[in-house]
Amino acid sequence: MTTTTSSWDARKTELELPEEIDLQVEVANVGSRTLAILLDIALAGLVLFIVYTLMILFARNTADDWMTKLTSNAVTTLLILLIFGFQWVYFNFFEWLWNGQTPGKRLLHLRVIKADGSPVSGIDVLLRNLARPIDTMGPMGLLGLLMIFVSRKAQRLGDLMAQTLVIHEVAIDWSIFDQVVREAVASSSVTAPSIRLTAGQWELLHRYLSRRETFPDDTRQQLAESIYKSLKPAAKGTELERSTLPAQEWLIELARRT
Amino acid sequence: MNLGTFVRKNRPHWQKLESMLGVIETRGPRGTDRLFLRELTALYRMTTGDLAFAQTHYRGTTLLLFLHQLVARAHNQIYRPHRFSAKVFDIFIRRDVPRAVREHLPAVTWSIIIFLMGVGLGLSAVQFDERAASIILPSSVLNSIYSGQLWTGSIFSVVPSSIASTYLFTSNISVALLAFAGGLSCGLITAAILFQNGFMLGVAIKLCANYGLLGALLEFIAGHGLLEISSILVAGAAGFVLANALLNPGSLSRIDALAQEGRSAVRMALICVPALVVAGCIETFISPSHFPVWFKAALGLTLGTSFWLYLLFTGKSAPIKTE
């Protein structure tokens, strides 16, 4: 397993799958993990606030019938259980139920997985979350932050003990490949000699083409110019190299010939 | 193959896989049928093949990133670990917990020693100077003892028992789990918790003895005390197991030792949860009640000794079945 550090906040790590291919995943950064925790705290805080308000309301109601007393006791008991539940149960329960996600993590597309790429089991979840008083809660959170920041795979103490990582799942947006289909139809009539682009160049060209409508005119022009400059060498030796078309049209022509 | 052709050719089955993953992620594998799962694994294999191809030919493209994501999601569904079941729970209780405790008897011994040191120091502190009690006992408890009454009577007559029992077992479980997690501080927090609890007990015993309340105190703690203290001691021992892995990792790296020992330590810590719920209920409903002393003592002794007998002697020949 190797880890490449492209920049401090986008660490990628490779996991080896049973199918003998290396799976590249993006390790979640300090910022998104902190935000996920804050979202979880906000959610729990909201629930606690509602129950606390109920408790105060029932406590003020001094009517002496057994119904009121019973409800008041039940609400107070519930509050104690909820406070305990948030401290020790919340993270364990959700990460176990939702395969490594809490509500906060789900909103930010984070997920806990084992360091070997497999999904987390109940014991892994318990190990990483029971360590929270030492590396997440209150002032000890500083230790967790520091560890996520410096450790190679952004693991806090609990993650190291449970051998887990938190990854960022990039949503898959197939729309940038929609252009491929349209171009295929458009290019069927053109019989110019084809130009070979590298995969990276090809993708650059098609991303530009699929997104160009969304840019304002001057940005589109600038972008087309710079992509034109970087792709020009690829058209060497064809009539497209000598063509005097403006950059935008030139790129469309290029797409037809690849 | 041109990237465009590659995408055009394979995109239908990637998108099919993606939509099937959406279904299985929301419904779970039980919400699908055999044909569905067979198709899912077939698509998964095809996509891993595409990923391998893309890794060779299309390095540095967004497509590669997408395929990585897709395969990761499918992998998560296909290789999911065994879900929690009654059988897993049974093995956990009957085999894993007692084994974990027996493997770490030195840690248990240390936990007991530090607790007893706390008790001893608490006893001698009050012997030396009664005012030492105010370090650790709240003033309401002190005033109650000075006026010749056990503090427990006033608490349990005012607070409804549902609230009291819930409060007692949640706070005790928090202490136990913190003693476990405290192992990550190289055992300092664990030792502090054990010592503090021992010290409190020592102080309370000596102070009550000074005011002629020893009998009443012992009657109160007879029912739940042994089980409650034993649970905290075992959780503390679990903390020391973690600390030992960090401080004496042996031939492993510290991180690997922690990961290995953590697995058995967490089992020791978890057995405290049910034990402390039981102890909390006894403390609320039986200890302050007017049950005869012999009943409370017998109950406490039975629970305490069976807890230790269970940890030390059971689970030796339970059927070994991993997975």
Side-chain angles (χ1 to χ4, degrees):
Chain A
M1 185 185 293
T2 56
T3 303
T4 48
T5 309
S6 47
S7 72
W8 68 270
D9 65 343
R11 274 172 282 190
K12 300 218 159 87
T13 189
E14 298 204 334
L15 313 171
E16 219 173 286
L17 297 192
E19 285 76 19
E20 301 206 335
I21 51 167
D22 288 335
L23 188 67
Q24 203 172 40
V25 291
E26 192 184 316
V27 174
N29 62 28
V30 181
S32 52
R33 286 181 69 175
T34 313
L35 194 58
I37 289 281
L38 291 178
L39 284 171
D40 285 327
I41 291 176
L43 180 69
L46 185 71
V47 175
L48 286 180
F49 178 76
I50 292 169
V51 177
Y52 182 72
T53 315
L54 281 177
M55 187 184 86
I56 298 287
L57 285 178
F58 279 112
R60 286 167 62 98
N61 187 349
T62 45
D64 210 24
D65 62 306
W66 63 273
M67 203 43 200
T68 319
K69 269 190 175 166
L70 191 70
T71 327
S72 169
N73 286 352
V75 172
T76 312
T77 310
L78 182 67
L79 185 72
I80 297 173
L81 281 176
L82 282 175
I83 293 172
F84 175 80
F86 180 64
Q87 270 183 317
W88 297 106
V89 186
Y90 177 91
F91 289 99
N92 286 312
F93 177 74
F94 279 109
E95 286 183 9
W96 167 73
L97 187 74
W98 285 352
N99 190 11
Q101 290 189 311
T102 60
K105 288 194 176 74
R106 189 167 258 205
L107 279 172
L108 294 173
H109 305 288
L110 304 186
R111 190 187 290 279
V112 185
I113 59 169
K114 290 283 286 171
D116 64 3
S118 55
V120 280
S121 69
I123 270 285
D124 304 322
V125 166
L126 278 166
L127 272 170
R128 76 185 295 281
N129 287 318
L130 291 183
R132 283 196 189 275
I134 302 300
D135 66 6
T136 313
M137 297 302 180
M140 299 306 274
L142 282 176
L143 177 69
L145 280 182
L146 195 70
M147 287 202 66
I148 293 173
F149 198 75
V150 301
S151 83
R152 219 158 47 92
K153 279 181 269 168
Q155 289 167 297
R156 60 179 176 82
L157 216 44
D159 286 318
L160 290 172
M161 183 159 73
Q163 297 171 304
T164 52
L165 348 145
V166 182
I167 58 163
H168 180 223
E169 295 186 318
V170 185
I172 303 181
D173 173 18
W174 295 103
S175 69
I176 75 155
F177 297 109
D178 286 345
Q179 190 69 21
V180 177
V181 182
R182 266 186 272 151
E183 288 301 322
V185 178
S187 66
S188 56
S189 59
V190 182
T191 48
S194 80
I195 296 169
R196 288 191 67 84
L197 294 181
T198 66
Q201 288 172 325
W202 189 93
E203 211 186 54
L204 174 68
L205 178 63
H206 282 83
R207 282 190 90 152
Y208 159 75
L209 289 175
S210 74
R211 296 180 62 201
R212 73 196 146 144
E213 322 268 284
T214 64
F215 299 120
D217 287 346
D218 50 338
T219 317
R220 187 188 324 149
Q221 183 59 31
Q222 276 173 17
L223 210 57
E225 292 285 351
S226 81
I227 294 171
Y228 169 70
K229 251 180 237 150
S230 75
L231 294 186
K232 187 105 198 264
K236 210 173 176 116
T238 64
E239 94 282 10
L240 204 58
E241 191 194 6
R242 297 179 296 278
S243 140
T244 51
L245 285 169
Q248 292 189 37
E249 271 89 272
W250 190 89
L251 289 175
I252 296 172
E253 276 306 308
L254 179 64
R256 293 221 170 106
R257 279 151 219 268
T258 50
Chain B
M1 202 189 307
N2 175 311
L3 179 57
T5 329
F6 182 66
V7 172
R8 227 172 289 144
K9 192 169 143 244
N10 297 309
R11 199 176 141 186
H13 74 246
W14 298 336
Q15 278 177 319
K16 173 90 185 158
L17 177 61
E18 201 190 6
S19 68
M20 290 179 82
L21 285 174
V23 172
I24 200 172
E25 276 164 7
T26 47
R27 284 197 223 150
R30 282 176 208 284
T32 61
D33 56 20
R34 184 188 290 259
L35 264 168
F36 180 96
L37 293 175
R38 199 173 285 167
E39 191 181 358
L40 183 78
T41 41
L43 285 172
Y44 170 68
R45 272 178 221 290
M46 278 166 86
T47 312
T48 52
D50 296 337
L51 175 57
F53 185 84
Q55 269 178 335
T56 324
H57 295 92
Y58 310 125
R59 281 223 167 255
T61 58
T62 332
L63 175 73
L64 188 58
L65 194 68
F66 285 0
L67 289 178
H68 274 303
Q69 287 295 328
L70 193 57
V71 168
R73 267 176 76 189
H75 178 266
N76 261 350
Q77 289 304 322
I78 289 166
Y79 295 91
R80 52 166 66 219
H82 284 262
R83 300 305 278 178
F84 186 78
S85 63
K87 191 166 183 190
V88 174
F89 185 71
D90 186 53
I91 291 177
F92 178 83
I93 294 288
R94 290 229 314 256
R95 190 195 68 190
D96 293 352
V97 172
R99 275 195 193 177
V101 172
R102 279 199 300 275
E103 271 168 30
H104 297 109
L105 287 178
V108 179
T109 317
W110 274 109
S111 174
I112 295 171
I113 289 173
I114 290 179
F115 181 79
L116 290 180
M117 273 166 56
V119 176
L121 203 74
L123 290 171
S124 48
V126 177
Q127 171 82 34
F128 195 67
D129 183 350
E130 210 175 271
R131 283 169 301 176
S134 60
I135 309 170
I136 194 131
L137 294 178
S139 56
S140 59
V141 171
L142 287 178
N143 290 334
S144 171
I145 294 176
Y146 292 149
S147 63
Q149 281 198 317
L150 214 53
W151 67 93
T152 53
S154 57
I155 291 177
F156 289 106
S157 59
V158 174
V159 184
S161 52
S162 69
I163 298 177
S165 63
T166 314
Y167 176 75
L168 279 172
F169 77 71
T170 54
S171 57
N172 282 339
I173 291 171
S174 291
V175 169
L177 293 180
L178 197 62
F180 163 68
L184 291 173
S185 64
C186 296
L188 290 178
I189 295 178
T190 307
I193 288 173
L194 289 171
F195 185 83
Q196 189 209 358
N197 279 279
F199 189 75
M200 209 187 289
L201 182 68
V203 166
I205 289 175
K206 185 67 191 157
L207 198 65
C208 284
N210 288 358
Y211 286 85
L213 291 167
L214 189 59
L217 179 69
L218 290 181
E219 184 189 337
F220 175 70
I221 59 176
H224 63 268
L226 195 55
L227 185 61
E228 192 174 294
I229 291 167
S230 303
S231 307
I232 304 276
L233 289 177
V234 170
F240 286 138
V241 171
L242 298 185
N244 189 46
L246 282 173
L247 297 173
N248 304 312
S251 57
L252 299 171
S253 77
R254 283 175 213 279
I255 300 300
D256 288 342
L258 185 65
Q260 195 184 59
E261 293 291 307
R263 258 147 233 280
S264 62
V266 75
R267 294 181 158 93
M268 295 167 68
L270 285 176
I271 197 60
C272 301
V273 175
L276 286 171
V277 172
V278 172
C281 291
I282 295 174
E283 185 168 356
T284 326
F285 295 108
I286 296 176
S287 297
S289 68
H290 296 293
F291 280 104
V293 189
W294 63 261
F295 177 75
K296 291 180 189 171
L299 180 70
L301 213 60
T302 314
L303 282 172
T305 43
S306 43
F307 184 66
W308 284 107
L309 286 175
Y310 155 64
L311 291 179
L312 296 177
F313 298 107
T314 65
K316 280 180 176 160
S317 57
I320 296 171
K321 183 158 183 321
T322 43
E323 290 302 300

